[in-house]
Amino acid sequence: MDSSPGIAIAYHSRRGHTHVLAQAVRAGAEAAGARVTMVLVEEMQESDWETLDAADAIVFGSPTFMGSASGAFHTFAESTGSRWRTQSWKDKIGAGFTHSSCKAGDKHSTLGYFATLAAQHQMHWVNLGLPAGWHVSHESEDDLNRLGYFDGAAASTMGDLGTDAVHKADIGTAEHLGGRVARHTAVVLAGRAALGIA
């Protein structure tokens, strides 16, 4: 049996920028040994719910729009109520990422929303695990976590630019998050196995 962590990335992307981040999270997680499945939350089918239910970790992603996650992501979140009632996501690992055109853009609200959603499902939240980059004069815009967020991975691309303009440091930050989630989930799974916890 494959003992590598199973990670689902449940996300919505309005213009493709958040999709670029989702792919980076995937790359980082796979490089760290995880099996990764992408789930588009605006197209949920029964098989997608089964994927989320079976995953060891779920990484939430959405653009930040008008101070929170997108409407499509909120609709998905509300539809998780049946999972909340049965506690079927209890003790899964959770994490999140977001994108907006403004460097700040209230992305902290979206990441906080994801963390609260995970807490309501009694999941365990994994933060970014990076210091702030590009916050003193000798540092660079190319530093990981250049925007200085800590609850998850955050990215910013000017609103009139396409997906090829997503900053390489933001992509690297998302890759870092994917790897961190994969490694943390592997530790949790190994600990449960060692302790005989189902």
Side-chain angles (χ1 to χ4, degrees):
M1 177 177 286
D2 189 348
S3 60
S4 60
I7 297 176
I9 301 175
Y11 74 103
H12 173 240
S13 184
R14 295 179 69 233
R15 296 175 52 231
H17 301 81
T18 308
H19 176 71
V20 171
L21 297 182
Q23 293 290 354
V25 172
R26 178 180 192 163
E30 289 180 340
R35 296 170 287 109
V36 181
T37 305
M38 312 291 273
V39 175
L40 298 175
V41 299
E42 71 273 26
E43 300 176 359
M44 293 298 293
Q45 305 293 324
E46 185 56 36
S47 60
D48 296 313
W49 288 112
E50 292 169 359
T51 293
L52 297 180
D53 293 343
D56 301 306
I58 302 174
V59 183
F60 301 122
S62 168
T64 294
F65 184 67
M66 301 304 290
S68 187
S70 65
F73 191 91
H74 276 273
T75 297
F76 158 75
E78 289 181 16
S79 67
T80 67
S82 60
R83 271 69 189 169
W84 175 81
R85 283 189 292 275
T86 59
Q87 299 183 356
S88 57
W89 291 0
K90 182 177 181 179
D91 292 332
K92 289 184 186 294
I93 305 303
F97 61 95
T98 189
H99 175 278
S100 72
S101 58
C102 296
K103 284 186 171 59
D106 294 316
K107 287 188 280 289
H108 64 281
S109 297
T110 301
L111 294 172
Y113 171 71
F114 291 157
T116 298
L117 175 64
Q120 289 176 338
H121 282 283
Q122 301 175 53
M123 298 166 68
H124 301 287
W125 190 253
V126 174
N127 61 40
L128 183 58
L130 282 174
W134 196 33
H135 75 295
V136 292
S137 60
H138 66 269
E139 293 181 340
S140 165
E141 184 180 3
D142 295 326
D143 293 340
L144 296 187
N145 198 21
R146 70 188 182 106
L147 300 179
Y149 287 84
F150 303 98
D151 288 343
S156 174
T157 310
M158 291 182 180
D160 58 344
L161 297 180
T163 57
D164 58 344
V166 176
H167 199 286
K168 64 181 180 180
D170 295 342
I171 293 172
T173 300
E175 289 177 352
H176 170 86
L177 177 67
R180 179 169 166 83
V181 170
R183 290 186 294 272
H184 185 77
T185 304
V187 168
V188 170
L189 294 177
R192 289 175 184 165
L195 294 171
I197 299 172

